[in-house]
Amino acid sequence: MLNTPASPLKFPRLLLTGAGGNLGQELRPRLKVYCDVLRVSHRRDLGSAAEGEEVQIAALEDADQMLTLLDGVSAVVHMGGVSTEQPWAPILAGNIVGMVNLYEAARLKGVKRIVFASSNHVTGFYRQDEVVNTRMPPKPDGFYGLSKAFGEDLAQLYWDRWGIETVSIRIGSSFSEPRDRRMLATYLSYDDLERVIVAALTAPIVGHTIIYGVSDNQTIWWDNSNAKHIGYRPKDSSDQFRSAVEAKQPVIDTKDPAAIYQGGAFVKASPQG
Ligand code: 15L
């Protein structure tokens, strides 16, 4: 966790969706410092509220629950929804219907800033020998990446039409450490995850901005130069893990699609589970 003093911009009530997921659990204690009240939500029980928290159970595909969830909220960090390749039905419910419900609720309740956990899998079918910037067309590597591309387009629509601002963060691989050779390029430390989210929440003007959530790794496939106005400066890197990862995985099969494309194993995952 960052040793951050009180944020210059403190939200009266910040909503964190998907608070029970892997990254949601990591962010829950970290985001508290940036708001007076942190409302945490998930589709299942989250336990009792800590000091300064409100716990609210809500399913993304339930429009009424989402409307209640957004009531009185100043900004949203949307980590909810399906976060891996899965059959179409759960992706449709969580990432398509759920996104529409979230943005409709934001419009009806007057919420003006959303930070959307998009994914690098929006561009997973670019090759690992290409550097992709945020204005290049999407090349999703499965239903999951496709649903995140939809989420970004939806965010653009709600900005153009209703002035709701979004930063879509195409998160790389946010774990405690990189797990394989691919993640040496895609790694996002938890502290840098917090940094990019806080920058996205607090940048004064964002419209709809797309940014890759990635640490300052030696090898990198993503160019964030179109998103410099967000003010995100990664401070961590996968480099300290490089020799251990390379020793664990000394050989790469360069004919394997997982080694050719940026999405890694996602490009081969069966959408039917
Ligand atoms: C993602 O979008 C997933 O949510 C996460 O589980 C990782 O697999 C990550 O991408 C990745 O690309 O490593």
Side-chain angles (χ1 to χ4, degrees):
M1 194 174 308
L2 297 182
N3 188 13
T4 323
S7 158
L9 194 71
K10 249 197 163 203
F11 295 92
R13 181 177 279 101
L14 189 62
L15 169 64
L16 171 65
T17 69
N22 289 345
L23 297 185
Q25 288 178 54
E26 194 59 44
L27 289 169
R28 184 173 172 177
R30 292 169 179 261
L31 291 182
K32 186 63 206 61
V33 71
Y34 306 103
C35 53
D36 296 325
V37 176
L38 181 67
R39 180 174 292 171
V40 290
S41 83
H42 204 84
R43 59 188 311 111
R44 58 176 163 73
D45 190 17
L46 281 171
S48 48
E51 203 188 321
E53 277 187 355
E54 295 170 347
V55 172
Q56 218 164 303
I57 304 303
L60 289 164
E61 64 273 23
D62 185 321
D64 291 336
Q65 287 184 0
M66 292 306 288
L67 208 53
T68 310
L69 185 64
L70 276 273
D71 195 38
V73 160
S74 343
V76 181
V77 177
H78 180 49
M79 305 301 292
V82 173
S83 63
T84 53
E85 187 61 5
Q86 287 189 25
W88 178 241
I91 288 180
L92 174 65
N95 294 9
I96 306 289
V97 177
M99 277 294 279
V100 172
N101 288 342
L102 174 77
Y103 275 79
E104 267 302 277
R107 180 178 71 81
L108 293 166
K109 297 291 181 181
V111 177
K112 289 292 182 202
R113 175 80 58 103
I114 296 177
V115 175
F116 166 46
S118 184
S119 169
N120 73 90
H121 295 285
V122 168
T123 50
F125 257 124
Y126 282 94
R127 292 169 53 95
Q128 295 190 8
D129 55 10
E130 291 173 285
V131 175
V132 180
N133 71 50
T134 58
R135 300 213 176 125
M136 288 162 75
K139 279 189 178 215
D141 56 28
F143 285 164
Y144 166 62
L146 181 66
S147 73
K148 292 294 185 181
F150 169 85
E152 293 181 359
D153 280 354
L154 187 83
Q156 183 67 46
L157 169 67
Y158 274 76
W159 163 241
D160 290 334
R161 186 85 197 265
W162 290 291
I164 296 174
E165 293 196 297
T166 297
V167 179
S168 294
I169 305 176
R170 291 179 180 167
I171 297 175
S173 305
S174 195
F175 297 103
S176 53
E177 53 187 74
R179 297 173 173 179
D180 55 25
R181 296 272 285 244
R182 170 181 171 271
M183 289 191 192
L184 291 173
T186 61
Y187 176 65
L188 174 67
S189 73
Y190 292 143
D191 282 354
D192 281 344
L193 171 70
E194 179 181 340
R195 284 185 186 101
V196 69
I197 286 178
V198 171
L201 278 170
T202 55
I205 300 180
V206 301
H208 174 224
T209 298
I210 297 172
I211 187 169
Y212 283 92
V214 66
S215 284
D216 186 19
N217 306 325
Q218 185 185 316
T219 316
I220 224 151
W221 302 326
W222 306 320
D223 170 4
N224 270 336
S225 54
N226 294 318
K228 280 192 179 160
H229 55 281
I230 298 298
Y232 165 56
R233 291 255 176 99
K235 292 209 165 68
D236 297 327
S237 157
S238 64
D239 298 357
Q240 56 174 312
F241 305 105
R242 179 169 289 274
S243 46
V245 170
E246 287 176 350
K248 202 171 71 178
Q249 196 190 354
V251 180
I252 291 177
D253 174 4
T254 52
K255 294 206 165 45
D256 181 356
I260 296 173
Y261 296 104
Q262 297 187 2
F266 277 62
V267 307
K268 325 193 274 192
S270 163
Q272 296 315 323

